[in-house]
Amino acid sequence: MSVTDKIAARLPRIVSERTERGPVVAAVRLHGVITPTPTPMARNTISMQTVESALTRAFEHDRLIAVALLINSPGGAPTQSALVAERVRELAAKKKVPVLAFCEDLAASGGYWLACAGDEVYAHGTSLVGSIGVVSAGFGLNGLIERYGVERRVHTAGENKVRLDPFSPEKPEDVEWLKGLQTQLHEQFVAWVRERRGVKLKATDDELFNGEVWTGAKAVELGLVDGLGTLRSVVAKRYPDAEIAIAEPRRPLLARLGLAGATTRSGDFLVEGLAALEERARWSRFGL
């Protein structure tokens, strides 16, 4: 057989391979603390800014049959949680494809808010899921500055501009104001879960919306997730011919360069160090 004949004999198979490419399930990693202000040193954070491009790429696949959200987050900023979740729903409605959410180690608080953007939610039996509540934390440093003879000077127009100032004694009326805000945010969180999970929920409001965290296995019983499974196990069963394509969100510059621990100024080091401690504390609350 001549070289030409050999090439011609291969052409039908090559064309067939190209025309028979299977469907795609595009997966987006939503890993890290949810924050509108990621630090340059942070390895993984979630915000509308960092995940927008990944979500857009995921929903633009021409052979798309479903989008998967791979969630591993202790939560964070409620507004960013809502913005990302709403963007997922907008794109899903536009492309008319189902969204499957997968809770990995942790989908707590804002992390579970993101999971509810899925039409179906899955978890591993050992995943930690829930924490449907609102938390605020800070430090009272007024005693510290008094000890070192530091005078705090704050001038405002508006008596409520410095509520909960960490360098001033805590006022009962400020705490009441904060609790009112938390109640409003909690109500919005609960409304979102009810909207997305609906009749799937299998427990009372007092059981579900008190800030508790459960294993993935228990979350199935409560109706917070639809079943146990991983991305590959569920896709293999639901879409056996599908290819999985991962869309990675943007990472901070230093993390992309492999310099997540680098800094040049002592002031930067202090700020980044405190941010890292805060991020670490969010995960450690859940034993991670």
Side-chain angles (χ1 to χ4, degrees), residues 69-178:
L69 306 178
L70 307 179
I71 299 166
N72 202 356
S73 174
T79 302
Q80 292 300 315
S81 303
L83 288 174
V84 173
E86 289 167 9
R87 182 60 175 151
V88 170
R89 297 314 313 159
E90 289 171 1
L91 291 168
K94 180 180 179 180
K95 298 296 183 178
K96 296 181 173 56
V97 294
V99 176
L100 311 179
F102 294 89
C103 306
E104 297 188 341
D105 299 277
L106 183 62
S109 194
Y112 184 67
W113 192 312
L114 296 177
C116 285
D119 298 297
E120 298 175 22
V121 183
Y122 295 90
H124 191 275
T126 61
S127 300
L128 297 181
V129 178
S131 190
I132 304 171
V134 181
V135 62
S136 300
F139 297 94
L141 303 176
N142 52 299
L144 180 64
I145 65 174
E146 289 174 1
R147 177 179 178 181
Y148 289 97
V150 178
E151 182 182 357
R152 173 76 162 160
R153 297 175 180 175
V154 180
H155 308 282
T156 70
E159 59 181 343
N160 296 323
K161 286 294 292 184
V162 287
R163 277 176 167 155
L164 299 173
D165 176 14
F167 295 100
S168 301
E170 189 174 71
K171 299 177 181 178
E173 58 268 29
D174 290 351
V175 175
E176 282 302 308
W177 167 82
L178 177 61

